[in-house]
Amino acid sequence: MSQGQQRISMADIARKLNISRATVSYVLNERESELISESTRERVLAAAREMGYRPNRAAQALAGKRSNLIELCVYGFHPAFYSHILSEFETQIAPTPYQLHIVSARHWTSEDWETLDSGWPVDGLIVFDAALLDRAAADLQNRGVPVVASGAYPLTSVDHVSVDTYSSVFEATTYLVERAQRVAYVTPWTLEISKANPDPRYPAYAAALHKAWRPEEVIVATDQNGVGNRAAMYDVLSAYIKEKGCPDALLCFNDEIAIGTLAALRRLQIRVPEDVMLIGCDGIEETAYHSPSLSTIQFPYADVARLSWEFLRRRIEDPATPLQSATLKPQLLLRESSAREE
Amino acid sequence: MSQGQQRISMADIARKLNISRATVSYVLNERESELISESTRERVLAAAREMGYRPNRAAQALAGKRSNLIELCVYGFHPAFYSHILSEFETQIAPTPYQLHIVSARHWTSEDWETLDSGWPVDGLIVFDAALLDRAAADLQNRGVPVVASGAYPLTSVDHVSVDTYSSVFEATTYLVERAQRVAYVTPWTLEISKANPDPRYPAYAAALHKAWRPEEVIVATDQNGVGNRAAMYDVLSAYIKEKGCPDALLCFNDEIAIGTLAALRRLQIRVPEDVMLIGCDGIEETAYHSPSLSTIQFPYADVARLSWEFLRRRIEDPATPLQSATLKPQLLLRESSAREE
DNA sequence: TTGAAAGCGCTAACAG
DNA sequence: CTGTTAGCGCTTTCAA
């Protein structure tokens, strides 16, 4: 078919058919309002196909057409939590004419956060767990770009879907507190980071312990370089246990940490759940496949994606829509790793 | 700061400063060749910052500037194999001025494959495991867009990084054949699909068995709807074993299937590796955390990403570069799940 | 039913 | 050192 060295433009089609560029544009855009003779229509369509015409989306957007681009800003592709998120958003958007432009914030330095605006003509923007994006996102919103924030700490000045991780973690911790003496929190973040970050997990854990008048125990899972890392769980855990003895229950920052902890405990010959109860967080698929199966806090991936997209789409269609918001609660999923008599 | 309802353009800056748009363009683009007075330079920069100017990338691209956009076409964000791939590509591209535009082919129907060309002005394109993209990719290449293909079945008409999965699977199968009587292949694809698809796993398995004069055994892991699904492993496996007895070794299509199989075997009270040896494929991180730890075929994620990007970048910089290609071999990682006396 | 022309925001050649 | 100008490919208004 097409073997031209360059891209085919509407002008090429018009020239070949000896008609005007506007006519070509009309039929290619299926403009109902303009009346085009059936024969012209067909000639244009045929030529476009033959010549391998593909619209230049940058030009379309420049000329004022919608870009059908949705920017999704998320931390990265890893760990599995994010791939679940991305998959669900993709599932939402795939059947629509819209396309996802994923921006990963993983490697961003502090200034980069201003870069939320990629400069591409997006029709809308979804920011997931936008801890530091407040200003940038509000800015975009002010410039007329529809923005939806979602996750456990969404911006509330824009349409948002919040996930009430706090209450679920509180619930999980309370469950453990009622069945165990020493309930520790295992996290890849130092205590300073945990306290400075808007992430609700540590505060929820701490609140649940305080409520029961129990002392906090925080196990920081970092490697020698201070990087949060489940691969270091064995070293971290054995050192901790050696120094302070073994807690009866562990609430883990996320499922990856929980899985790393499970492996470390196995190596230390500590039984789960008999000696130590274990609960993770996020509800990644893997948790179901371990032995013992891992209790976790199931993040509502699909609902978050569905609602976020619903909100964004509505706002794109009707910018005057009043502020939309919803709150979802992750579900505590009790499985083998936390099974114990009360 | 900026609270305008609309986007700031270069014209806005020029107007405010009473200078020409070209001057603004020059300083914002740091054009060395044009001499701009230091004072003008600073005024422009200051105004741009204050007004919150962000370049319109669509317009830049239209006007002939490089877009700094790299399209990465990959099957999806799931399973973990893909998130490893995406992460590594992202790691490569993050420190450069380029930006990734990820296109997921997961939901594509047959016609959509023609859609490889998203219509955005990409500077280059990486297609991963491009089974059905040959024509579309070659097309783009012909139109002057640099294309690199990578994965276990890359196009060879363009720059490519191939991964020799065939030989690794052959090696793994041979390892099993030498230590077990019945070596079965567990796959989420029906035999017809396996045979029609360019994926080298089934052929490699079959070749290794034939070489040893052993009969093939293929266990198809699909649910009632015929969808490939590790969650169905228990049902599939117990039915298979009931009918034909239990193989001594299982070579799994990928690590997800291997993990599902491991869980199913556990439920069936069949020991790994004592009763059944198990080897997966892809080398996702999870394999190290199971008990027994899972043998797998380690895909060279980082090297594939690094080389692909190296090839693409070189071709972008110098389109006349001769065809580039490299072949990488995944490493057979023997762990507990396949440990057995010979 | 079709065509001419303006303009989206920007780059880059050229003129001053 | 700075301004004028011609497009890039497309949409859209207005004429014909």
Side-chain angles (χ1 to χ4, degrees), chain B residues 57-91:
Chain B
R57 304 248 261 139
Q60 289 182 315
L62 230 206
K65 218 189 180 190
R66 277 193 188 163
S67 67
N68 281 0
L69 253 199
I70 302 296
E71 184 169 323
L72 172 58
C73 180
V74 68
Y75 186 68
F77 306 102
H78 228 233
F81 177 70
Y82 293 106
S83 62
H84 279 121
I85 291 282
L86 290 169
S87 278
E88 293 296 343
F89 272 107
E90 201 231 338
T91 302

Side-chain angles (χ1 to χ4, degrees), chain B residues 171-192:
Chain B
E171 181 187 349
T173 310
T174 301
Y175 173 92
L176 294 176
V177 162
E178 287 168 355
R179 290 164 179 77
Q181 285 306 310
R182 292 176 55 189
V183 179
Y185 176 60
V186 188
T187 165
W189 293 352
T190 63
L191 203 51
E192 294 77 55

